[in-house]
Amino acid sequence: MNHGSSDGKLAATLREELKRYPSGAKLPSSRELVARHRVSPGTVTRALAALAAEGLVVTRPGAGAFRAEPRAPRPAPGDSSWQEITLSAAPSPESAPRTVDAGGVLATLAAPPPGVIELNGGYLAPVLRPERALATALARAGRRPGAWDRPPMEGLGALRAWFARAIDGGSGTVAPSDVTITAGGQSALSTALRALAPPGGAVLVESPTYPGMLAVARAAGLRPVPVPTDADGVRTELLERAFRDSGARVFVCQPLFQNPTGAVLAPRRRREVIAVARAAGAFVVEDDFARRLAHGDAGPLPPALAAEDPDGTVVHVCSLTKVTSPSLRVGALAARGPVTERLRAIQIVDSFFVPRPLQETALELVGSQAWERHLRTVARELAIRRDVLAGALTDELPRLTLPLVPRGGYHLWLGLPAGADETALAAAALRAGVAVAAGRPYFAAERPAPHIRLSFAPAAGAAELTEGVRRLARACAEALGEAT
């Protein structure tokens, strides 16, 4: 159950009532608040905790809640303008600028305002999450012996073994010792790029690609170099040239249901990607984010690149977060050879380890009968939502191009008319009550054409998807005029 709405409403009401109380005055008892506001005791407890965290209320065990003493006025802000020079200064003229631009990531992480339909998010809607199974797994995990002890730095052995089987499909080509547990896929990508690419160096990326990966690379002082893609994935003849011209030693790709295009790397290109990277003495970072987001009509999936690479060219990244909950941040890095120790060392330096209760919860979840049922439900529902969204776009916005309707993932990549201002369209869409993602953040360099990305996973259901497209059509009429 989602308590956020009732908790917030009660906290807002009490916040206003507190203005009539003198400092130190006692608030009504929890029982009185339950009766007066017709809410549950848990809602009262959470609302009072929120006010206590804001410094407005002091709770005293056995005595009740009291209005806190007035806070001292905040001191005048200091002069931090000196930081502009320090943050932008490079140690040498050859150094790559170290910038941190989270805009493309925030566009898919930030919750939209009330009443706005979310077609830009990157996580499953609450109705698609296995919340009951997660609650059961969390409760059981908390009762496991040693659940709150320090875990092994590389992760729990049983969880590493599960990920190894999930990555290689049970073939045995990935050993549990090859796996390091991480705090989700984003953390794994950050670790991989810092471990594999030299400071200031180039890293090859698909074009377009996931904005979070571009943000990670730039924050590490790396220079993303785009390699064009088509309906069959990355163009390997251009990948070979990019390695040669840039001197890069890392290529990051999403071979399965790529974000944002939805493309699946063709069988011939799978072999070529590994061969080209091996010839360049480079690593391939395989971001396998969508394997558990395959649709019901996807058919047999190709194996992970890591399962077909015995020589350690591929460093594999995967996570449980996308298919479960934004807060189950449990993922894995799989690698072979000396690079494994470097990856593990950076993971340990950055965060020591993933909290054991989270790892134990993940183990309980994937070992339960509810796990396979959940995967089947997600596969079925994502296919339905995809078809609803694609159909609504055909009916309402036929001049927007949809080159590929993917059979996995959670998004559609739409081409806009030439010369369209995608940023203006995204702003107009928000005014119309629907949040969409502009295409610009998905390109490492100049974009070849304007795009938007629509996500069908965060919506409450088919009706919301259809209404979202209607609102988008109104926004297109405002922002693009006759172009649509």
Side-chain angles (χ1 to χ4, degrees), residues 5 7 42 65 69 114 121 181 196 248 309 323 328 364 397 427 447 474:
S5 178
D7 300 352
E69 296 294 331
I181 302 301
L196 304 177
D309 164 49
V323 76
L328 188 66
E364 286 283 355
L397 289 165
R447 60 173 174 78
R474 294 198 295 271

Side-chain angles (χ1 to χ4, degrees), residues 35-122:
R36 180 187 302 177
H37 298 283
R38 297 182 180 181
V39 294
S40 69
T43 295
V44 170
T45 299
R46 289 187 293 270
L48 290 175
L51 296 178
E54 296 173 19
L56 299 177
V57 165
V58 175
T59 56
R60 298 171 189 161
F66 302 81
R67 179 173 178 179
E69 296 294 331
R71 288 173 286 187
R74 302 186 71 173
D79 180 8
S80 61
S81 57
W82 62 271
Q83 294 184 7
E84 295 184 46
I85 299 172
T86 301
L87 291 173
S88 60
S92 68
E94 296 78 21
S95 299
R98 189 182 180 96
T99 60
V100 183
D101 181 3
V105 182
L106 288 174
T108 60
L109 286 179
V116 173
I117 294 174
E118 184 179 5
L119 297 186
N120 65 335

Side-chain angles (χ1 to χ4, degrees), residues 12 86 134 142 154 177 185 217 244 277 283 304 344 369 396 400-401 404 439:
T86 301
L134 280 168
E154 63 275 14
S177 58
R244 183 175 64 249
F283 289 97
R344 196 161 291 161
Q369 293 181 346
E396 298 283 346
L400 300 190
T401 59
L404 175 65

Side-chain angles (χ1 to χ4, degrees), residues 31-256:
R31 182 175 297 178
E32 290 177 85
L33 292 174
V34 166
R36 180 187 302 177
H37 298 283
R38 297 182 180 181
V39 294
S40 69
T43 295
V44 170
T45 299
R46 289 187 293 270
L48 290 175
L51 296 178
E54 296 173 19
L56 299 177
V57 165
V58 175
T59 56
R60 298 171 189 161
F66 302 81
R67 179 173 178 179
E69 296 294 331
R71 288 173 286 187
R74 302 186 71 173
D79 180 8
S80 61
S81 57
W82 62 271
Q83 294 184 7
E84 295 184 46
I85 299 172
T86 301
L87 291 173
S88 60
S92 68
E94 296 78 21
S95 299
R98 189 182 180 96
T99 60
V100 183
D101 181 3
V105 182
L106 288 174
T108 60
L109 286 179
V116 173
I117 294 174
E118 184 179 5
L119 297 186
N120 65 335
Y123 297 107
L124 297 179
V127 295
L128 294 180
R129 298 174 197 158
E131 294 194 348
R132 181 176 297 179
L134 280 168
T136 301
L138 181 62
R140 289 178 175 171
R143 295 193 296 268
R144 284 189 172 199
W148 293 92
D149 289 348
R150 180 178 61 196
M153 297 294 182
E154 63 275 14
L156 297 179
L159 188 57
R160 295 166 70 201
W162 183 87
F163 270 112
R165 291 192 301 273
I167 293 167
D168 68 16
S171 66
T173 56
V174 177
S177 58
D178 298 331
V179 176
T180 300
I181 302 301
T182 67
Q186 186 73 1
S187 173
L189 283 174
S190 179
T191 295
L193 289 184
R194 290 177 55 208
L196 304 177
V203 56
L204 304 187
V205 301
E206 296 168 311
S207 182
T209 191
Y210 165 53
M213 192 276 300
L214 295 176
V216 163
R218 288 169 178 148
L222 303 175
R223 178 169 53 89
V225 176
V227 184
T229 60
D230 59 22
D232 289 330
V234 67
R235 293 176 55 185
T236 47
E237 81 281 8
L238 297 179
L239 178 65
E240 185 174 15
R241 176 180 171 183
F243 271 125
R244 183 175 64 249
D245 292 351
S246 69
R249 291 295 176 264
V250 181
F251 170 52
V252 185
C253 67
Q254 296 176 329
L256 191 63

Side-chain angles (χ1 to χ4, degrees), residues 400 416-425 447 449-451 479-480 483-484:
L400 300 190
L416 303 181
D421 186 337
E422 60 192 28
T423 303
L425 174 57
R447 60 173 174 78
H451 293 81
L480 308 181
T484 58

